Structures are given as C-alpha cells and as structure tokens.
C-alpha cells in the first residue's frame, strides 16, 4: 500500500468516526471530537512548519527528498505549507500517471475544475481518454486539493493509419 493511499484511508476513517459521533445524538461529544482533531491538526501543522523552517538554510537535497516523498508532500499540502505553487503540484502529480499522457488545458478557479487533454501512451494515436479522469483524480487527490473536479477532453485523432499488406497471390 502506498503512503498516499494510506493517508487517504486515514483521512476517510477520521471523517467516518466524526460522522458517527455526530449521528450518536451527543452533540457535546461530537463537538469535543472535532475540537480534538482541529487541535491535533494545528499541532502537527506547527511541527511541519518548524521542520520546513529548519530546512530552509540546508542544502536543497534534503528539501527535495522531502517534497519527493508522497506522504510528506501530502501532509504539507494538507497544512498549506507546500512550497510549490498549485500548477507545479498539479504537473508533478500528473507526471505520475503512467497509462495516460495528460496535458493541462486550463483551471477554473471559481469551480475548481481542471481541464485536461488525454492521449493514450500505447502509441496507437487513437486519443481515447478511457480511464484518464479516474487516474488524474487519484493522482491529484493529495497534492492539489484545489482541484474539485477533473474534465478530460480526448485529443483529436491523428492521421488515419493505412495498413499495407502483401498483395494476394495472382493479383498482379
């Protein structure tokens, strides 16, 4: 299991527990649980900010290794501490999608919709974007929370390939 999927599962588990507490009928317990989660988030966020501050004078290799680690990078994004801008984080996440070549067409700040153009990497040139949206959403989940929706356009089909085979016997 990758660190990112583990982080996503942990986040979903926390949300499920908070939802159960909210549905339990004890508003004081639900409120206390939410306050506890906020306090822990603040605590860990302050620790991460301190780590980044301490690394700021260090050689770039240590910082690059931290940013290259999926778990650390997703925590930095969660706490709004990631030093890379949104577009850089989106590009980094999409580079990890191996079954598709995804090109950013645009981002709508108001709706949070990222528009991509997809081409299959199998070399057929067909441009079918099958599964590209799901692959992009999974890659972007931890690294670009600003992206609330992904719209994938399929690339225009390239020139039609002409299959040339041997002429049937006697056709000359």
């Amino acid at each position: 299991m990758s660190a990112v999927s583990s982080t996503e599962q942990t986040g979903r588990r926390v949300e499920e527990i908070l939802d159960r507490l909210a549905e339990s009928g004890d508003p004081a317990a639900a409120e206390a649980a939410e306050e506890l989660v906020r306090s822990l988030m603040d605590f860990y966020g302050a620790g991460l900010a301190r780590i980044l501050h301490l690394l700021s004078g260090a050689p770039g290799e240590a910082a690059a290794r931290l940013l290259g680690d999926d778990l650390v990078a997703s925590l930095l994004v969660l706490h709004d501490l990631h030093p890379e801008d949104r577009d850089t984080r989106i590009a980094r996440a999409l580079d990890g999608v191996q079954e598709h070549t995804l090109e950013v067409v645009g981002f709508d700040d108001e709706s949070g919709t990222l528009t991509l153009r997809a081409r299959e990497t199998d070399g057929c040139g067909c441009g079918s974007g099958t599964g590209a949206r799901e692959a992009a959403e999974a890659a972007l989940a931890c690294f670009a929370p600003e992206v609330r929706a992904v719209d994938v356009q399929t690339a225009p089909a390239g020139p039609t390939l002409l299959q040339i085979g041997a002429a049937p016997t006697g056709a000359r």
Side-chain angles (χ1 to χ4, degrees), residues 2-5 7-8 66-78 80 82 84-96 136-147:
S2 76
V4 173
S5 63
T7 304
E8 290 173 20
L66 285 174
L67 293 179
D69 182 273
D70 289 347
L71 176 60
V72 173
S74 66
L75 287 172
L76 293 174
V77 168
L78 178 66
D80 199 24
H82 203 289
E84 295 176 336
D85 66 10
R86 178 197 70 213
D87 294 341
T88 303
R89 289 183 283 111
I90 287 172
R92 183 188 293 256
L94 294 177
D95 282 344
E137 286 173 345
L140 293 162
C142 289
F143 300 106
E146 307 91 338
V147 177

Side-chain angles (χ1 to χ4, degrees), residues 83-164:
E84 295 176 336
D85 66 10
R86 178 197 70 213
D87 294 341
T88 303
R89 289 183 283 111
I90 287 172
R92 183 188 293 256
L94 294 177
D95 282 344
V97 179
Q98 296 178 2
E99 63 271 14
H100 302 278
T101 299
L102 299 169
E103 172 190 349
V104 175
V105 174
F107 182 76
D108 182 339
D109 288 309
E110 188 173 317
S111 68
T113 301
L114 177 66
T115 304
L116 302 171
R117 184 173 297 118
R119 287 191 177 88
E120 296 293 333
T121 58
D122 63 4
C124 73
C126 62
S128 119
T130 308
R133 184 176 57 79
E134 292 82 8
E137 286 173 345
L140 293 162
C142 289
F143 300 106
E146 307 91 338
V147 177
R148 292 189 294 274
V150 176
D151 179 33
V152 178
Q153 304 169 346
T154 54
T160 304
L161 298 177
L162 176 61
Q163 296 287 334
I164 302 175

Side-chain angles (χ1 to χ4, degrees), residues 37-50:
V37 169
R38 275 193 301 276
S39 295
L40 287 172
M41 291 285 294
D42 290 345
F43 176 70
Y44 286 113
L48 288 169
R50 182 72 179 146

